[in-house]
Every structure is written in C-alpha cells, then in structure tokens.
Amino acid sequence: MDERTLCGRARALGLSRRWRDASGRMHHVGDDSLRHLLRVLQKEEAALCDAPLLPYLVVTEVDRPTPLPLGVLRGTGGFQLELENGGSVEGFLHLRDEKSCTLPAVTLPGYHRLYLRDAMTTLAVAPARCCSVAMRAGRPDPRLWGVAAQIYGLRMPRDGGIGNFGAVESLARQAAAQGADALALSPVHAMFAATSGQYSPYSPSSRLFLNVLLADPQCIFCAHDITMAMHAQKDTVDQLSHLQDAVLIDWPLAAQARLRLFRWLYDRMIAPAPPAAMTEFITAGGEALRHHAIFEALHAQETRKGPHGGNWRMWPPALRCPDSEEVRNFARLHAADVAFHGFLQWMAATSLRRACEGARGAGMKIGLIMDMAVGVDPGGSQCWAQHEQFLTGLSIGAPPRYAQPLRAELGPDQLFTHRPAASWL
C-alpha cells in the first residue's frame, strides 16, 4: 500500500497523520503504526457489517429528539427503551425527512438500551451542560481552593497499612474546616482481588466499580465486630500492626490481610442474614455487577492454576464469554464467592457515599473530585464482560503533559526545582 492510499484510508476512518504536543510541536505518525491501526479498525468495521442499521453507541442530549437512519423505521416504528435506572419507556419513531427519522426526547441522562424492530443499540443521553464550579458555588466567578491526596496514602490508626474512604471523610472534614471546597483524589476503580501485586490505580480491572481495598468496614460494622474479626485470625493483629507502622505500603501483604478480614466479617456477620440494603444494591447493579463478581471469583480460581490464569484471554475458550453455560455453572458452584464480591462492592460504595456526604455536609461547595484512569487493563473484568466494545490489539499512551519535556531538559541538580503550572483549582 503506497503512502497516498494509506493516508486516504486513514482519513476515511477518522485518523489523523499529524498531532501537536503540549509544547506546540507537530509530530508525524509513522507508516507502520498507521498500518497497524488500519488493520485493527478495518477488522472491527468488517465485524459490524452484519448489523449496519445502527452503530453500537448513539449519543444524544436530554430533552432533544435523536435523529436515526430512516432504515430503522419499519412496521409501526415502535421502540422500547430500557433505562439505566431499571425503568422502561415505549413509543414510536417519527418521520423527520426523506433520509431520517427521530426518537422522541429522553428526559433521563445515562446509558440506556434502545430496542427497535430490527436493531438494538446503546443510547448515551448526556445533560445539555456539565455542572460548573460557579453552579456549585452559587455565585458567578467564584474563587475556591482545594487539596489533593492519594487515598491509599492517607493513614489512620488501625488501618492495616492502606488508607480507605473513612480516612477520605476525615481529611475532607478537616480541610473543610480550613475553608477548602474540594478534595481531589486518586482513581478509585476496581482492581484485581486475587492478584494484589496489581495495584496501580491507573491500570484497573474495571472503571465501572470500586477498589474494594478502599472500603471502610466501619460504615457497616461496629468496632467490636471488627476487633473480634482481627483477633479471630492467627497473627493478624501483629501483622496489621506491622503494616500500619511500615514506612512504605506492602501492597501484597496489606491487601491480603484486609481481604481476609473482610471475608471473616462477611461469612459470619452478613451471609447468614444479608441486609436489605445490600440486596437492593446488588439487584440495582444488575448484569454488570453480576459479571464483575463472577469475574473476580473466576479470576481467583484461574490465577491459582498458574501465571497465565491472570489473563482471561488465555483461559479455556468456554470461560472467556461471561454468558456461556460453563460460566453460569461456575457461578452456581461458587455462589458464596460471587456473593462475597457483591458484598465488597456494596461496602465500598456505602463508605464512599458516606465520605461524599461528609465532605458536602462539612461545608465543601464542590466536595470530592475523582480522578479517572485513561483506560482499563485488557485482562480485567470490564474487557472480559464487554470485549465487543473494546479495540483489541491497540493501546493508548499517556496524554501529553506540558511539564514532561521541561523536566527532560533539566539537569539532575535542577530536577526538583522545576514547578509545574498551577493546577486546575
């Protein structure tokens, strides 16, 4: 393929051959990189050729009709919309012109599932605008300030070596007392419970769920129950004390100790009589939460078999599909393990909600701000459960940063004298 043809095909798929970095310099995408991108994208295009009526995702705004291709207007033109909150809406498409029709306006933001007679897609309904700082402050041109923290580095007595959402609430209240209106935090995405050595918050298993190691058990259990759980496990008290006093976080040991503590509490305090709030949470989580919990239990089983078990793409073929009969059988046989991971998500969500409410209740006008990873680990639960929504064979690099080239040009004795530009706050 000559360069002219290569450039033409790239343009047809929305790829640019040039990009500008943070310092304003232009860069050229190499031919080899472009050829690889085209191979992956054209393979995806071919996979979609059997369902050409609608793309996998249609983006629209709240309270505005959504244009759709005229080809979907068949029969009565009826549609059904399964809403993100569990509700549903039924109605009819309207003819717009000779080339398109429209879906009536949707009033609820979120990711909904749209069913037509011959097609199905995800409808992403966005608000007309984001909530601004001025809106949260209640006045134009506000001058607010806040602090930032890595959650796992926030230390409290008897925390077992890793900070949690309880420490976030404590810091938020202290910062609010000094006039801060925001607390920015490191990502809180779900990690891999079975492989505690994978702890980078920027390479999560799923961005749909929470890192359960950050859950604060005190949001569910009383101090007596937690102390009893610690003393019930041999050497746990001494180990937790050692981890708490360590200068650096021992991720494998601290994570394993925390999960053992959580499992003891679950087996004895929760499993015999699950709280109604937890049952409602798991029901509301639907298929997505069920798949994540199954993945965590399945991932633990496969990881015990050897190093390749940590990557679902190397599992037996029948286990690579979340809706296969083999996966359903596994979920039935390991129902207690699957339920445990549902409980962990409930406890993490409950303690994060309490931290958010604590920050706003203490007077913060903005409250907690969560950082977000650029992507997910391809061997994680989100790719396993939604592999048809990911481009396999491609990866994304770190976004360009203005400070990075400046740091590279500084000498060793100047490295720590450079101060980056002011943060967004």
Side-chain angles (χ1 to χ4, degrees):
M1 185 188 306
D2 60 38
E3 186 171 1
R4 184 175 180 178
T5 303
L6 188 65
C7 291
R9 292 187 179 180
R11 282 194 299 270
L13 288 174
L15 298 176
S16 175
R17 294 235 42 186
R18 305 197 320 153
W19 59 278
R20 188 185 305 275
D21 67 19
S23 63
R25 289 177 295 189
M26 293 300 300
H27 297 264
H28 188 78
V29 179
D31 289 351
D32 289 343
S33 296
L34 202 58
R35 287 191 181 95
H36 182 74
L37 284 165
L38 289 174
R39 279 195 296 270
V40 174
L41 292 173
Q42 288 169 343
K43 180 180 176 181
E44 294 293 324
E45 289 289 315
L48 293 176
C49 65
D50 293 332
L53 291 178
L54 285 174
Y56 277 148
L57 181 72
V58 174
V59 180
T60 187
E61 287 186 9
V62 165
D63 297 327
R64 295 186 64 178
T66 304
L68 297 174
L70 187 62
V72 303
L73 185 61
R74 299 182 181 182
T76 63
F79 72 86
Q80 181 178 5
L81 194 63
E82 291 185 358
L83 302 176
E84 187 179 72
N85 66 0
S88 64
V89 174
E90 295 184 0
F92 298 93
L93 303 178
H94 303 301
L95 183 65
R96 184 187 186 194
D97 53 41
E98 60 182 16
K99 294 184 178 180
S100 65
C101 58
T102 59
L103 176 74
V106 180
T107 60
L108 181 70
Y111 289 90
H112 315 306
R113 185 69 74 177
L114 174 63
Y115 293 94
L116 305 174
R117 180 179 178 182
D118 298 313
M120 179 270 289
T121 187
T122 296
L123 186 70
V125 182
R129 58 173 297 179
C130 292
C131 179
S132 67
V133 173
M135 291 168 63
R136 295 298 289 268
R139 63 179 187 272
D141 193 26
R143 297 183 63 84
L144 308 179
W145 67 275
V147 296
Q150 302 286 351
I151 300 175
Y152 46 81
L154 300 178
R155 310 305 295 272
M156 295 183 70
R158 304 179 68 186
D159 63 9
I162 304 176
N164 59 31
F165 291 132
V168 169
E169 181 184 3
S170 177
L171 176 59
R173 290 185 178 278
Q174 293 177 59
Q178 302 301 316
D181 283 301
L183 172 55
L185 301 168
S186 49
V188 298
H189 311 309
M191 303 305 295
F192 300 81
T195 50
S196 52
Q198 293 178 263
Y199 49 79
S200 169
Y202 294 96
S203 185
S205 175
S206 173
R207 295 192 302 179
L208 302 179
F209 300 101
L210 297 171
N211 183 346
V212 299
L213 294 179
L214 304 180
D216 179 11
Q218 293 188 77
C219 72
I220 304 295
F221 304 98
C222 66
H224 174 267
D225 291 342
I226 297 173
T227 301
M228 185 168 61
M230 292 171 57
H231 285 278
Q233 302 176 73
K234 186 179 179 181
D235 300 328
T236 296
V237 175
D238 291 340
Q239 185 183 58
L240 291 176
S241 178
H242 168 73
L243 292 168
Q244 176 183 318
D245 296 336
V247 176
L248 300 177
I249 298 174
D250 187 331
W251 278 101
L253 284 180
Q256 292 162 20
R258 184 162 290 186
L259 288 172
R260 283 197 303 270
L261 177 70
F262 291 167
R263 188 60 189 250
W264 194 96
L265 289 165
Y266 171 76
D267 288 341
R268 289 157 181 80
M269 307 288 183
I270 298 295
M278 185 185 82
T279 302
E280 292 170 3
F281 173 86
I282 292 174
T283 300
E287 183 179 77
L289 177 56
R290 182 177 65 85
H291 281 162
H292 178 72
I294 292 173
F295 175 88
E296 283 282 70
L298 190 55
H299 182 254
Q301 170 189 274
E302 295 301 307
T303 299
R304 287 192 291 269
K305 296 179 180 179
H308 295 313
N311 188 339
W312 65 268
R313 293 172 295 180
M314 302 186 73
W315 292 353
L319 299 180
R320 298 175 194 170
C321 176
D323 294 317
S324 70
E325 186 60 33
E326 287 78 2
V327 170
R328 285 193 288 269
N329 287 337
F330 171 87
R332 285 192 291 267
L333 293 173
H334 298 83
D337 294 332
V338 174
F340 170 62
H341 288 289
F343 153 76
L344 290 177
Q345 286 298 323
W346 170 63
M347 183 167 62
T350 301
S351 49
L352 176 57
R353 183 177 65 250
R354 191 168 76 171
C356 291
E357 292 171 350
R360 295 300 300 278
M364 282 190 169
K365 292 184 174 63
I366 296 176
L368 304 186
I369 301 173
M370 307 297 179
D371 194 0
M372 189 174 222
V374 172
V376 296
D377 189 312
S381 81
Q382 192 169 353
C383 279
W384 176 74
Q386 303 175 341
H387 55 267
E388 74 283 353
Q389 298 181 22
F390 288 83
L391 288 173
T392 57
L394 298 181
S395 62
I396 187 169
R401 296 180 58 199
Y402 181 69
Q404 195 62 34
L406 294 180
R407 290 174 67 90
E409 295 168 5
L410 295 170
D413 58 334
Q414 298 174 291
L415 186 59
F416 298 103
T417 63
H418 169 67
R419 301 188 64 162
S423 67
W424 49 266
L425 280 177

